[in-house]
Amino acid sequence: MEFKELPPVKEQIMKCVRCGKCRSVCPVFAEIRNETAAPRGHVFMVQMLRDGIVEPDEAVAERLTSCLLCENCSVNCPSGIDIHELNAAARSYIYEKNPSLAKELVFDSLWTRPGLLRTSTKFLWGAQKTGLQSLARAIGLTKILPGDLPRAERMLTDVPVRSGRSMISEVNRARGERKYRVGYFLGCATDMFYPSVARATVDILTWHGCEVIVPKDIKCCGQPHIANGKMETARSLAAHNVKIFNAYDLDYIVTDCASCSAALSHKNMEFLLGGLNIEDQAKTFSEKVLDLTLFLTEVLDIEVPNPEMARKVKVTWHDPCHLANAQGVKQAPRELLKRIPGVEFIEMANANSCCGGSGTYCLTHHDLSMKILDKKMDRAMETGANKLVTCCPSCMMQLKFGARRHHWNAEVVHIVDLLSPFYKVLPKKAASQ
Ligand code: SF4
Ligand code: SF4
């Protein structure tokens, strides 16, 4: 299919009324102050690409990839243009014309193979412990990867020895009477960098009467591939995951990663798989998908047990773009925080402004990412909170780095980290048969 025939391009590009609303909310434009970095500029660029006025070359790619894909422009556009989808479609088109071996190695050979990805993470952990990482840096190994990785590499700290997968069974019985059979989408970043979040998510769900299925062959949700122009790979990953989960008889599919829930959402499934043979299966799948915060508050309507375990703590919340913008979920995490005994919730200004992490953006556009992060940290620190809470591993990594960068002694945690102590001390209810 020709680029100009791609549905998001064909249907959406002509709707721009050039009002500039998108520009006023774009965190990248706020830093660069150049029309080519504005969302509207990206729409024009895609239009010129479609009409053959500009070539799909590295220069155009560089302009389009300065975008975080935070979707703030799309949710504020009065014409309802999915600007980020236009951008993603254009990245894919440009990549197909300019394939890169480094990207193929990272996104096709490694990031499509969960076992290999876990092994590499373990190597990274070992390297940190033995000094091999310094050696790799010294011989320039880190320079074969794209962007500002050599400098951004310092963000990669605290890689745990064990993966989430190694701590969780495929089938986890409900405690007490079974209410629901739930599929848990264990995302790559949670699996590799925050295994305790994965373990705690399963414990919380089983405690509240869910049988939790964690299919063995889950692959990446495809979000990093979309951002890096690897649309075909993202499609095949999405199709794979749809088939894997549809093989179980599930009531819901939940995930504790905002980027994963956005990737698995109905809207994104339509973007990736609409019009293909698997479209109906993808719809069956995505209709069951819910972010964990929504599932705990709106479906399970949980009451956090054992309130005498409460410790007073001041928390503030960072809205991941993939949760607040991509899915419109803002109330559920706040509601969940208010249900946690001992929590004093303080809203930060512009809580839904991007942290600048955006998956691999903090590696590929490190300086810009840091400027956006610094603004976020200023707003977080103004609250005087002891904990900065969110529900996206990519945001967590970025915010943890931000806290270190600003010498702020608040802890950056996943919302599940706040919940899990209330479940650890309880006597086990009998598992259902
Ligand atoms: S907000 Fe929408 S309609 Fe307005 S300039 Fe931006 S893309 Fe065009
Ligand atoms: S997705 Fe975010 S960074 Fe990209 S153009 Fe829109 S507002 Fe700007």
Side-chain angles (χ1 to χ4, degrees):
M1 191 184 280
E2 287 295 313
F3 177 60
K4 62 185 172 187
E5 296 297 334
L6 284 171
V9 179
K10 196 175 165 191
E11 292 163 14
Q12 298 198 45
I13 204 163
M14 301 311 290
K15 292 195 288 184
C16 177
V17 294
R18 309 187 176 201
C19 66
K21 175 70 182 162
C22 53
R23 206 174 79 154
S24 68
V25 296
C26 174
V28 173
F29 180 76
E31 298 302 332
I32 298 183
R33 313 299 301 178
N34 179 326
E35 185 63 28
T36 60
R40 191 172 60 176
H42 295 162
V43 174
F44 297 159
M45 183 65 77
V46 175
Q47 203 167 10
M48 289 194 288
L49 206 51
R50 181 199 63 168
D51 295 341
I53 297 169
V54 295
E55 291 299 313
D57 57 19
E58 284 298 323
V60 175
E62 180 50 38
R63 285 188 181 178
L64 292 173
T65 55
S66 68
C67 162
L68 292 149
L69 299 179
C70 72
E71 306 192 27
N72 216 18
C73 50
S74 303
V75 295
N76 283 285
C77 171
S79 300
I81 303 175
D82 286 318
I83 304 165
H84 65 286
E85 285 187 1
L86 285 176
N87 189 316
R91 288 183 195 194
S92 169
Y93 175 67
I94 294 168
Y95 178 77
E96 279 168 24
K97 303 286 177 190
N98 304 277
S100 123
L101 182 59
K103 279 195 175 180
E104 265 175 44
L105 279 173
V106 173
F107 295 104
D108 292 335
S109 301
L110 185 61
W111 222 319
T112 54
R113 294 183 172 88
L116 193 57
L117 198 56
R118 274 183 218 114
T119 307
S120 334
T121 311
K122 276 186 187 155
F123 172 79
L124 188 59
W125 180 85
Q128 284 173 346
K129 296 293 170 197
T130 61
L132 278 175
Q133 198 174 9
S134 307
L135 180 63
R137 198 182 297 125
I139 62 176
L141 198 57
T142 51
K143 290 190 176 64
I144 66 164
L145 292 170
D148 300 329
L149 195 56
R151 273 189 304 146
E153 184 198 32
R154 61 205 161 113
M155 298 178 74
L156 298 174
T157 56
D158 301 331
V159 182
V161 191
R162 291 190 65 183
S163 67
R165 168 62 65 186
S166 72
M167 298 154 76
I168 300 172
S169 308
E170 183 185 1
V171 178
N172 303 270
R173 285 182 182 168
R175 300 276 163 189
E177 188 187 347
R178 188 180 96 176
K179 293 180 191 155
Y180 300 111
R181 193 163 198 238
V182 173
Y184 171 45
F185 187 91
L186 173 58
C188 317
T190 307
D191 181 29
M192 294 183 300
F193 298 109
Y194 301 106
S196 60
V197 169
R199 177 69 261 172
T201 295
V202 172
D203 286 346
I204 292 165
L205 289 171
T206 53
W207 176 259
H208 287 289
C210 300
E211 180 183 16
V212 181
I213 308 294
V214 194
K216 277 186 181 150
D217 298 324
I218 301 171
K219 291 191 177 180
C220 176
C221 69
Q223 203 72 268
H225 303 78
I226 295 172
N228 286 281
K230 301 292 298 179
M231 191 77 82
E232 282 311 314
T233 313
R235 282 200 177 99
S236 82
L237 290 167
H240 169 87
N241 287 325
V242 164
K243 286 179 193 157
I244 291 289
F245 277 88
N246 283 359
Y248 295 89
D249 183 19
L250 300 169
D251 300 309
Y252 292 95
I253 297 162
V254 300
T255 176
D256 45 30
C257 167
S259 293
C260 293
S261 54
L264 308 178
S265 68
H266 183 59
K267 189 166 185 302
N268 196 57
M269 281 291 156
E270 251 185 4
F271 176 59
L272 288 177
L273 303 177
L276 304 180
N277 287 341
I278 199 168
E279 185 175 12
D280 289 345
Q281 290 179 59
K283 188 166 181 282
T284 304
F285 166 89
S286 62
E287 279 171 350
K288 295 179 181 176
V289 171
L290 278 181
D291 187 82
L292 181 71
T293 58
L294 267 179
F295 186 67
L296 292 179
T297 53
E298 294 194 3
V299 179
L300 291 177
D301 191 17
I302 66 163
E303 185 176 330
V304 178
N306 213 23
E308 65 276 13
M309 286 297 295
R311 297 278 178 277
K312 284 202 180 309
V313 59
K314 282 185 186 177
V315 310
T316 192
W317 172 257
H318 161 69
D319 284 305
C321 301
H322 280 141
L323 192 67
N325 291 339
Q327 302 179 74
V329 177
K330 294 181 188 170
Q331 193 48 39
R334 289 167 173 79
E335 173 60 31
L336 189 54
L337 283 173
K338 285 174 190 163
R339 292 186 190 193
I340 303 175
V343 162
E344 180 190 345
F345 174 59
I346 308 158
E347 190 76 66
M348 76 166 88
N350 289 335
N352 73 334
S353 65
C354 184
C355 65
S358 190
T360 48
Y361 191 90
C362 58
L363 306 179
T364 56
H365 294 77
H366 190 61
D367 289 344
L368 197 47
S369 169
M370 290 301 108
K371 286 181 184 165
I372 295 166
L373 173 63
D374 288 344
K375 281 188 179 159
K376 168 61 68 175
M377 297 315 299
D378 286 345
R379 289 169 191 145
M381 289 187 295
E382 275 166 18
T383 63
N386 321 111
K387 290 190 195 284
L388 172 52
V389 190
T390 192
C391 66
C392 171
S394 164
C395 298
M396 281 176 73
M397 271 182 236
Q398 175 86 339
L399 296 170
K400 276 175 187 271
F401 185 69
R404 289 203 301 278
R405 182 175 160 91
H406 287 260
H407 308 288
W408 188 35
N409 61 5
E411 208 185 348
V412 178
V413 296
H414 194 286
I415 197 163
V416 161
D417 292 322
L418 284 185
L419 284 165
S420 68
F422 294 93
Y423 293 81
K424 277 184 188 145
V425 297
L426 286 171
K428 298 271 188 214
K429 287 195 233 170
S432 64
Q433 298 303 308

